[in-house]
Structures are given as C-alpha cells and as structure tokens.
Amino acid sequence: MIAYFILGLALLVACVVLLRWFLGADPKAVIAALRWVLALLGIALVFIMLWGGAKFLAAFALPLLIPLLLRAGPLLGRLKAAVGPTPGQSSTVETRFLRMTLDHDTGGMTGVVREGRFKGSRLDELDENDLIELWRDCRAEDEQSADVLEAYLDRAHGTDWRAAAGHTHDGGERESAGRGWGAAPRDTSMGVEEAYEILGLNPGASAKEIRAAHRRLMSQHHPDRGGSNYLAAKINEAKDLLLDRLG
C-alpha cells in the first residue's frame, strides 16, 4: 500500500510540474515532449493496473483531472497555435464577374467567371488571349473585377500580358482610381457569412484566429506583393467586421 501511495504521489507531482512547464514553454517543444510523456504515462498506468492498483489510482485521478479540465481550453489553444493553420484552408471572394478562391498554404488564386461571354469558365481553362478579353470586359463594366483579374494574370502569366493588352502598370495607377490599397470597396455591404468565407474561417472563430487569418492573407495578397487593391480591402473589411462583432 505504501508503494502505491508513493507512486501515486510521484505521478501527481510530476503532472503538476509538467503542467506548469507546459503553460510557460515554447509550444513546439511542448508537442515534442508531449509524445514521450504520454507514452511513459501509458506504460506506468498499465503496470499499476496489472498490480491491482486501479482503485487507488482512481483516488488520485480525480484531483488531477479537475485542474486539467479547467485548463483544457487554454491548453488546446496553445497546441492549435503551435500547429498553425489547417492544411488545405482557403478563402472565397466574389466580384460581379468573378468568384475567386485563395489558397492559404500557397497564396495561389483560382477562379470561375460568373457573368459575361465567358460565364461558367474556370480561369485556368482560358488562354492568355481569352483572359485579356475578359479583363477588357471587366474593366469596361466593373473595376473591382478588373482589379482582381489583374492580380490573377500577374501571377499566372507574369506581367508580359500587360504589353499584349496595351495596358501599362506603374504602381500608382490603381491609386489614381480613388482608392488606397486598404480602403473599403465602394458600394459594398458585407455580411458576416461572407466575412468568414473571405478569411477562410468557421463561424465562432476567436479574435486570435481572425487576426492570424488576416495576417496570412495580407502577406500573400498585399498589392505590394502582386496582390489586388480590392482583395486587400475585402480582407481588411472582413477582419474589422468580425472583430467588431466580438467586441
């Protein structure tokens, strides 16, 4: 009996020490160490059960589990932050002519034409000449669609398409349209569902998740990195809307 008491007390002290270290340690180091700790605890529990100490172990388990359950939220949050964004995460942004999907892992852009003579076509199905014709249609009808399509063309075909289209780009051209890169798009009323789609988040995302998604998308789609004024504005607007809702 004394041996069980000493063993149980040692396990309790070790768990408390590990919990304190966990809360202050680097998350990456925690994940690496956690695998070894779980394996050792599993082996120890098996031996205790084989020696008939199940009832004695239960007496020590309850006081240990209560603080662990109270700490479960912060602990899971730290693990999630350490692992980073879920692979395959994407965002969706719509304009009058385009429905664009933004890949969070690669920063890549794909899209489908929503209106006009190329309606229903995927952008990657259209050759450069067709994309230029689509861009001309967008420029004549919808500035926001043209702005997004320019960013796509720059990424998919380089900047040589501009010469073929007779379109020069001097970095200040978009500013002359009356919008800074982070300004809110004109004539827009963003809903909460759209804001979650733009940031690639599920409803109920925390403020930390919202800010992380915003930083990730802006690092990929900032106009200074070949992005679009319109995309940057929508990403900013989505972040502001969702953070305002959280208070």
Side-chain angles (χ1 to χ4, degrees), residues 102-135:
L102 316 179
D103 189 292
H104 288 213
D105 297 331
T106 65
M109 301 171 65
T110 57
V112 176
V113 183
R114 304 179 63 217
E115 184 177 321
R117 50 180 161 163
F118 298 103
K119 181 179 179 179
S121 299
R122 297 201 316 265
L123 296 184
D124 57 10
E125 295 176 333
L126 302 175
D127 60 26
E128 184 174 327
N129 290 331
D130 287 339
L131 288 170
I132 290 174
E133 289 303 313
L134 174 60
W135 170 76

Side-chain angles (χ1 to χ4, degrees), residues 109-179:
M109 301 171 65
T110 57
V112 176
V113 183
R114 304 179 63 217
E115 184 177 321
R117 50 180 161 163
F118 298 103
K119 181 179 179 179
S121 299
R122 297 201 316 265
L123 296 184
D124 57 10
E125 295 176 333
L126 302 175
D127 60 26
E128 184 174 327
N129 290 331
D130 287 339
L131 288 170
I132 290 174
E133 289 303 313
L134 174 60
W135 170 76
R136 287 178 175 143
D137 293 345
C138 292
R139 196 171 189 190
E141 299 290 337
D142 184 57
E143 179 188 347
Q144 295 170 350
S145 298
D147 187 60
V148 173
L149 188 54
E150 285 181 24
Y152 173 83
L153 277 162
D154 285 344
R155 294 187 182 212
H157 296 277
T159 57
D160 291 343
W161 73 270
R162 295 177 179 274
H167 174 52
T168 58
H169 177 63
D170 57 8
E173 178 180 341
R174 296 181 189 178
E175 295 289 342
S176 65
R179 290 182 292 143

Side-chain angles (χ1 to χ4, degrees), residues 191-215:
V192 174
E193 183 177 351
E194 181 186 0
Y196 281 121
E197 286 186 355
I198 289 172
L199 295 181
L201 298 172
N202 293 321
S206 66
K208 183 176 182 179
E209 291 171 323
I210 292 168
R211 291 191 177 96
H214 173 265
R215 285 194 302 270

Side-chain angles (χ1 to χ4, degrees), residues 89 104 195-196 199-218 235-247:
Q89 193 172 7
H104 288 213
Y196 281 121
L199 295 181
L201 298 172
N202 293 321
S206 66
K208 183 176 182 179
E209 291 171 323
I210 292 168
R211 291 191 177 96
H214 173 265
R215 285 194 302 270
R216 187 165 58 252
L217 286 168
M218 288 302 294
I235 293 166
N236 282 335
E237 187 181 2
K239 179 203 72 171
D240 293 341
L241 173 62
L242 295 180
L243 288 179
D244 286 346
R245 280 177 55 82
L246 293 178

